[in-house]
Amino acid sequence: MRTFYSALWYLLLPFLFLRLWLRGRKAPAYRQRWAERMAWGYRRDTLQNSLWVHAVSVGETLAAAPLIERLLAQYPDTPLVVTTTTPTGSERVKALFGDRVTHVYCPWEVPGALTRFMTAFDPQLVVVLETELWPNLCAAVKRHGAKLMLVNGRLSEKSYHGYSKLPRLVRPMMAQFDALAVQTPVEAERYVALGAWPERVHAIGSVKFDMTLDEALRGKAAALRADMGARPVWIAASTHPGEDEPVLAAHQQVLASQPDALLILVPRHPERFNEVASLIRQQGLSVARRSAAESPADVQVYLADTMGELLMLFGSADLAFVGGSLVPVGGHNLLEPAAWEKPVLTGPHLHNFTAISQLLHDAGGLSVVSNESELAGTLLTLLADDATCRQQGRAAAAVVEANRGALDKGLQLISEQLTVKS
């Protein structure tokens, strides 16, 4: 089955390069560093006996950031490789860690490319984040003699049913994992059902609960809030196509009741920044762009068209709507605004964050809305009631505090794998 799967990847290569070229029309970085996608041009001994952490894009990179920092501190003499698959993820790795880690793109799921990568970077342990389940990558890791571990593993019911339809491909892959640190007992059961060894699966919670809000970050958020002035401020974060229109329509309703209100709008993908700026103006709303250092003081919408600042931006708002949820994307990280003690709003599409959203909802820190009218109504209710707003924010933050600890448990499992390897 994996031979057929590999043959498909080789057949798809021309189309994958074409896709990069087409995506490069809006995001030029996709037209760069193509050799890394095939692991071409590396020396055979680029690194020796390294640790390899693989994240996909910005969200996974930010989730992995505390883990990477701890690995750098605990294993200072071990080279650390961090891979992503997107330019935005690449930018985050470089901004967070600089030359303290070796960063390249993860090669595509082509056996030859993966073999070249393993030969060049010689990992002793490979840590993949969340749902990065790739049969050829897993096989290449084991063929190289390295340990393989999943951290912060999640598996929605939809994804589980998809994987279960390919047992001849998926079951051998799952059996190759030496340890799986997953978020919930339900997800642990799903991984075992797909073929993971039960004794290797550990439900330890989500490392996303272990984020920290340091004083420098708090200072930046406070300074930005001071620039906005004394008025109601809400943020719509990580929005996707099809969400900006209802978000802006909801803001129009908020403005009808509270004319001085400000919306911080944060599109998920940078190639959409100009498009969203045009959309805001088409709606008759005044806008300031953060990338141009324009003041948010006297506008109705502040377009946060920069990368890597979302966590800080949550701290400058009174409450937060998290996107990817009014459209069937599956939602994004609800814990970042919760950590700031902000009431959290979301759409109904939450299959990527089922357990976390349930915890927040049960605690009274999450409001689920289905459309622009419900979004506007919830916003107006909370913005008009400081006591309720603070109460929901504290409830959300309490969930974050109560569920910390997955990072330490994950690091212990990593230590055990390195001990076994050595």
Side-chain angles (χ1 to χ4, degrees):
M1 184 67 176
R2 196 163 56 81
T3 301
F4 176 70
Y5 170 80
S6 300
L8 284 177
W9 268 92
Y10 279 111
L11 290 173
L12 287 171
L13 282 178
F15 301 98
L16 293 173
F17 282 114
L18 176 61
R19 182 171 180 267
L20 288 180
W21 179 260
L22 293 175
R23 293 195 72 177
R25 291 181 300 179
K26 289 187 175 181
Y30 278 103
R31 294 182 177 178
Q32 302 169 1
R33 299 164 56 190
W34 283 11
E36 294 178 19
R37 308 286 186 175
M38 292 295 293
W40 286 325
Y42 297 133
R43 299 192 321 271
R44 292 180 61 86
D45 59 347
T46 300
L47 294 177
Q48 293 183 349
N49 212 32
S50 67
L51 300 179
W52 174 16
V53 177
H54 174 53
V56 183
S57 191
V58 175
E60 293 81 6
T61 300
L62 293 175
L67 173 68
I68 294 170
E69 288 287 359
R70 293 279 292 274
L71 290 173
L72 287 168
Q74 291 185 22
Y75 305 99
D77 299 323
T78 302
L80 184 59
V81 181
V82 180
T83 59
T84 64
T85 60
T86 67
T88 51
S90 176
E91 291 171 7
R92 279 297 84 215
V93 172
K94 292 175 181 177
L96 289 169
F97 308 110
D99 60 4
R100 293 184 295 155
V101 305
T102 297
H103 167 68
V104 292
Y105 285 134
C106 182
W108 280 329
E109 185 75 339
V110 176
L114 290 162
T115 297
R116 288 190 291 273
F117 189 92
M118 295 293 170
T119 301
F121 294 99
D122 185 32
Q124 58 178 307
L125 171 65
V126 178
V127 177
V128 297
L129 269 293
E130 300 199 355
T131 51
E132 281 300 279
L133 306 176
W134 296 99
N136 281 341
L137 186 152
C138 294
V141 171
K142 302 314 292 182
R143 189 166 57 247
H144 186 73
K147 292 291 182 178
L148 177 63
M149 183 173 171
L150 179 72
V151 169
N152 212 42
R154 59 181 175 87
L155 192 65
S156 68
E157 185 175 1
K158 179 180 178 181
S159 295
Y160 166 71
H161 287 302
Y163 283 118
S164 65
K165 294 176 182 177
L166 298 168
R168 293 178 60 191
L169 185 65
V170 172
R171 293 190 71 82
M173 173 185 67
M174 296 308 308
Q176 291 171 322
F177 278 90
D178 296 285
L180 299 95
V182 306
Q183 297 185 22
T184 67
V186 170
E187 284 160 317
E189 293 175 1
R190 290 172 183 162
Y191 278 108
V192 171
L194 290 178
W197 292 30
E199 63 271 24
R200 297 180 179 179
V201 182
H202 310 268
I204 66 170
S206 173
V207 299
K208 292 184 177 180
F209 286 103
D210 291 295
M211 75 185 77
T212 57
L213 306 175
D214 59 37
E215 290 306 313
L217 188 70
R218 292 180 181 275
K220 290 179 181 178
L224 177 59
R225 182 53 192 256
D227 290 340
M228 295 173 180
R231 54 179 173 152
V233 178
W234 69 286
I235 183 171
S238 298
T239 58
H240 286 252
E243 290 187 308
D244 302 294
E245 292 86 352
V247 162
L248 291 171
H251 190 51
Q252 296 273 24
Q253 295 182 49
V254 171
L255 288 170
S257 177
Q258 301 203 33
D260 60 340
L262 175 67
L263 163 64
I264 306 171
L265 183 54
V266 193
R268 178 72 175 178
H269 299 107
E271 58 267 29
R272 297 183 57 241
F273 288 161
N274 290 334
E275 171 189 332
V276 174
S278 297
L279 178 64
I280 295 168
R281 296 187 183 97
Q282 290 169 12
Q283 300 296 320
L285 297 166
S286 57
V287 58
R289 300 186 65 161
R290 183 162 177 79
S291 63
E294 295 171 348
S295 172
D298 299 313
V299 296
Q300 296 164 314
V301 180
Y302 188 46
L303 180 61
D305 52 351
T306 56
M307 297 299 296
E309 295 191 302
L310 183 55
L311 184 57
M312 181 276 293
L313 291 166
F314 280 127
S316 66
D318 298 313
L319 48 86
F321 168 80
V322 180
S325 57
L326 285 176
V327 292
V329 170
H332 291 297
N333 190 356
L334 303 169
L335 297 176
E336 291 182 339
W340 282 101
E341 297 189 11
K342 310 297 180 181
V344 186
L345 287 70
T346 179
H349 299 285
L350 292 167
H351 53 263
N352 289 334
F353 292 88
T354 303
I356 288 173
S357 61
Q358 191 65 54
L359 286 172
L360 289 169
H361 187 270
D362 290 348
L366 179 69
S367 300
V368 180
V369 299
S370 298
N371 51 51
E372 63 190 60
S373 297
E374 292 183 10
L375 175 58
T378 304
L379 288 168
L380 286 168
T381 297
L382 290 171
L383 290 173
D385 188 345
D386 288 342
T388 300
C389 199
R390 286 194 298 271
Q391 178 183 350
Q392 291 192 14
R394 286 193 295 267
V399 170
V400 177
E401 291 302 318
N403 288 276
R404 293 185 183 275
L407 179 58
D408 287 335
K409 295 174 184 177
L411 284 163
Q412 178 59 38
L413 289 170
I414 288 174
S415 175
E416 292 170 5
Q417 294 306 313
L418 291 173
T419 301
V420 171
K421 173 65 179 178
S422 61

